[in-house]
Amino acid sequence: MKKRYKAYCFLILLFSCLNINAQKVQSGPMVGYSTMKEVLLWIQTTDQAEVYFKYNEIGSSKSFKTETVETSEKNGYIAKIVAKNLEEGKEYEYTPYINGKAFKPGYEMSFQTQTLWQWRKDPPELSFATGSCFYVNEKEVDRPGKPYGSDYEILTSIHKDDPDFMVWMGDNTYLREVDWNSKSGIFHRYTHTRSLPELQPLLANTHHYAVWDDHDYGPNDADRSYWGKHMTEEAFNLFWGNLNTGLIGGEGVTNVFPWQDVEFFMLDNRWFRSANDDVDYEDRQIFGEKQLLWLREALVGSHASFKFIVMGGQALPENPRFERFSTFEEERQKFLKMLREINVPGVIILSGDIHHTEINKMERDGYYPLYEITVSSLTAGTYALKPPYNNQYLLEETIVNEHNYGFFTVSGPRTERVLNIKIKGVNGELKWEKEITAEELSTKK
């Protein structure tokens, strides 16, 4: 199901910013999770306010109203409200109301419900965007020198592509030194990032799901010892609208969601992580036994055509650089062994973190090939990967050493689904394109 895109100009954006101030809106609205019967709507006000949403199916005059929620300083002036009474496979337009006044920013605001296709027809085509490493400059607290963030117009390009939803794969905001030790600092950083003008139309019309990595969890390369992780967990859950979170005993931000016939398993690579440099510790882990057991059982129970395992750092490369899984080789081998043991079809790994894009492909004797698609960076500084690569799994033609994002589509009959991958630059220009069929990832060889 596709939403209509309208061209935007500077005057519209200027009007939007002025209207936001007048209407007490700090950021948003944002569309969160979607099901067949309900959708999460999100908005942040500048101070205490009463918020509700009105919505109607596009083309229908019958409207509905959500409950009213009061924002407060305690919850970051955020309202997360569920739109109910929805019909499956429909598109809706909506309007936020702040203290009884309609907020009309000058661009379209819409959401959609998922389709009931099971036992009736082939699943519909779907599309989603991916990205990681989203840095928004704040001169007063950034490091001296050249700004680390740039090319924010990439968000407009993603919005023009009109994906059904977007998967944020970590480092979705960059906490700074002034933020780490206080809830007010953490909430400020999340608010500052979320308020970027170029981001607002994308938030309002595309469903968003997220998992974190080190920079939105805490300090650079942070592990389970980070003292502020309960504060960043609170901020993450307030600022994102995931379908579920904290699936591992209520700790961390592990979550999962389906969209039509695909499923996403969003892994937390921070909450349970041992110290990177404590190499003599006997039980070194990134995900931990409980999370890997949950993943094993969730994959076995999934009937999705494609099963995307999403993680902040890279899994397949064996060269132990930076924070790759190979720096925790014993657990990495447990992970790869688990995938072989359960041998469920359609598994693909999605990752971010490394500030360039690439695909790794691991051929496995007796099993289908395991792909890892790494997409980075959206706006944070890029890291140019240059030879020698020292990576036997790397598909060298897929390296992109500049700001980029992924645009994925899944199409075709239920038994012949095809994943199309496009990597695009700041202005939406195509960098490369590749297809992976469900048949290639089949256990029937």
Side-chain angles (χ1 to χ4, degrees):
M1 181 181 300
K2 287 295 179 180
K3 302 179 290 291
R4 299 158 295 172
Y5 173 78
K6 295 180 180 179
Y8 306 106
C9 65
F10 175 78
L11 290 177
I12 290 292
L13 289 174
L14 178 61
F15 171 77
S16 300
C17 293
L18 291 174
N19 196 35
I20 284 174
N21 291 330
Q23 298 288 341
K24 291 190 173 183
V25 173
Q26 175 67 43
S27 64
M30 179 182 75
V31 184
Y33 73 78
S34 169
T35 71
M36 297 183 195
K37 288 295 185 181
E38 64 181 41
V39 163
L40 181 71
L41 300 175
W42 181 102
I43 199 166
Q44 183 183 32
T45 59
T46 57
D47 50 28
Q48 187 170 331
E50 290 188 345
V51 177
Y52 61 86
F53 294 86
K54 287 186 176 180
Y55 54 97
N56 61 273
E57 183 184 339
I58 291 178
S60 172
S61 59
K62 184 180 181 180
S63 65
F64 301 89
K65 177 180 175 294
T66 68
E67 65 173 321
T68 299
V69 171
E70 185 172 75
T71 65
S72 67
E73 182 179 11
K74 182 179 180 180
N75 63 19
Y77 301 112
I78 288 169
K80 297 174 70 173
I81 307 177
V82 174
K84 303 175 182 178
N85 302 311
L86 305 178
E87 296 184 27
E88 60 87 17
K90 302 293 185 181
E91 187 174 2
Y92 293 79
E93 55 192 359
Y94 69 94
T95 302
Y97 283 76
I98 314 299
N99 292 333
K101 295 182 178 179
F103 171 60
K104 298 181 179 180
Y107 46 77
E108 183 183 1
M109 296 178 290
S110 64
F111 63 80
Q112 61 176 296
T113 54
Q114 295 195 43
T115 300
L116 179 61
W117 58 270
Q118 293 89 340
W119 306 105
R120 292 161 176 81
K121 57 185 177 181
D122 287 326
E125 180 176 326
L126 63 94
S127 64
F128 63 96
T130 60
S132 64
C133 306
F134 179 47
Y135 191 99
V136 178
N137 298 324
E138 188 178 24
K139 183 178 180 181
E140 294 77 9
V141 297
D142 289 346
R143 296 179 184 179
K146 181 181 178 180
Y148 193 57
S150 62
D151 292 335
Y152 302 133
E153 59 269 28
I154 195 171
L155 303 165
T156 303
S157 298
I158 299 173
H159 180 51
K160 286 181 179 179
D161 275 344
D162 196 23
D164 294 316
F165 58 99
M166 182 164 179
V167 180
W168 297 77
M169 300 188 297
D171 294 340
N172 310 311
T173 190
Y174 276 69
L175 295 168
R176 320 285 210 268
E177 291 82 357
V178 298
D179 306 323
W180 295 330
N181 294 319
S182 67
K183 179 177 176 178
S184 60
I186 292 165
F187 274 45
H188 167 77
R189 183 60 47 215
Y190 270 78
T191 297
H192 178 265
T193 301
R194 184 57 57 84
S195 302
L196 184 72
E198 292 89 340
L199 179 61
Q200 305 314 305
L202 176 62
L203 292 176
N205 292 278
T206 297
H207 295 266
H208 295 272
Y209 301 86
V211 74
W212 63 18
D213 198 12
D214 52 338
H215 292 293
D216 35 359
Y217 167 77
N220 185 45
D221 296 347
D223 55 52
R224 64 190 178 194
S225 69
Y226 170 49
W227 57 92
K229 64 182 183 180
H230 289 283
M231 294 187 293
T232 53
E233 179 190 34
E234 180 184 1
F236 179 91
N237 287 330
L238 275 171
F239 278 82
W240 292 106
N242 290 324
L243 178 63
N244 45 66
T245 190
L247 294 178
I248 314 303
E251 297 185 278
V253 300
T254 308
N255 66 93
V256 61
F257 72 94
W259 194 285
Q260 312 301 12
D261 67 316
V262 302
E263 198 164 5
F264 293 79
F265 304 86
M266 314 281 277
L267 300 187
D268 187 329
N269 68 338
R270 293 295 156 184
W271 192 273
F272 307 99
R273 188 188 194 103
S274 307
N276 287 336
D277 297 329
D278 192 2
V279 295
D280 294 326
Y281 182 64
E282 292 183 358
D283 187 25
R284 300 183 73 240
Q285 57 185 344
I286 289 179
F287 298 119
E289 289 186 11
K290 290 182 179 179
Q291 188 168 201
L292 287 180
L293 176 59
W294 169 83
L295 177 64
R296 179 188 184 114
E297 294 177 344
L299 288 172
V300 169
S302 174
H303 299 288
S305 300
F306 294 103
K307 304 169 182 67
F308 294 100
I309 300 174
V310 184
M311 58 180 70
Q314 283 190 304
L316 294 188
E318 294 178 345
N319 184 14
R321 303 178 64 193
F322 309 115
E323 286 197 299
R324 284 174 172 168
F325 209 171
S326 53
T327 60
F328 289 71
E329 185 59 22
E330 184 176 349
E331 190 185 65
R332 175 176 174 272
Q333 289 302 325
K334 289 180 181 178
F335 170 77
L336 295 173
K337 180 182 178 183
M338 178 268 288
L339 293 181
R340 292 193 299 270
E341 286 177 349
I342 61 176
N343 196 27
V344 299
V347 171
I348 295 175
I349 300 170
L350 298 178
S351 59
D353 178 58
I354 61 174
H355 294 247
H356 68 268
T357 285
E358 65 184 43
I359 287 185
N360 285 274
K361 181 182 181 182
M362 176 185 284
E363 298 287 356
R364 304 180 297 170
D365 289 341
Y367 303 89
Y368 64 81
L370 184 58
Y371 285 94
E372 178 175 11
I373 306 163
T374 303
V375 184
S376 180
S377 151
L378 284 168
T379 65
T382 57
Y383 173 81
L385 183 66
K386 299 178 181 179
Y389 301 119
N390 300 318
N391 180 1
Q392 62 178 314
Y393 307 125
L394 177 65
L395 304 183
E396 296 182 14
E397 68 275 13
T398 64
I399 297 171
V400 177
N401 291 323
E402 59 189 81
H403 289 148
N404 68 96
Y405 64 96
F407 186 81
F408 296 64
T409 59
V410 178
S411 61
R414 174 69 179 91
T415 57
E416 301 174 10
R417 296 293 263 178
V418 176
L419 173 68
N420 177 270
I421 309 156
K422 292 183 175 70
I423 297 298
K424 296 190 171 188
V426 172
N427 297 309
E429 68 276 18
L430 183 66
K431 297 301 178 181
W432 55 259
E433 182 175 5
K434 182 177 177 58
E435 287 191 346
I436 301 174
T437 66
E439 182 180 7
E440 183 184 1
L441 307 185
S442 171
T443 58
K444 297 178 182 179
K445 298 298 181 183

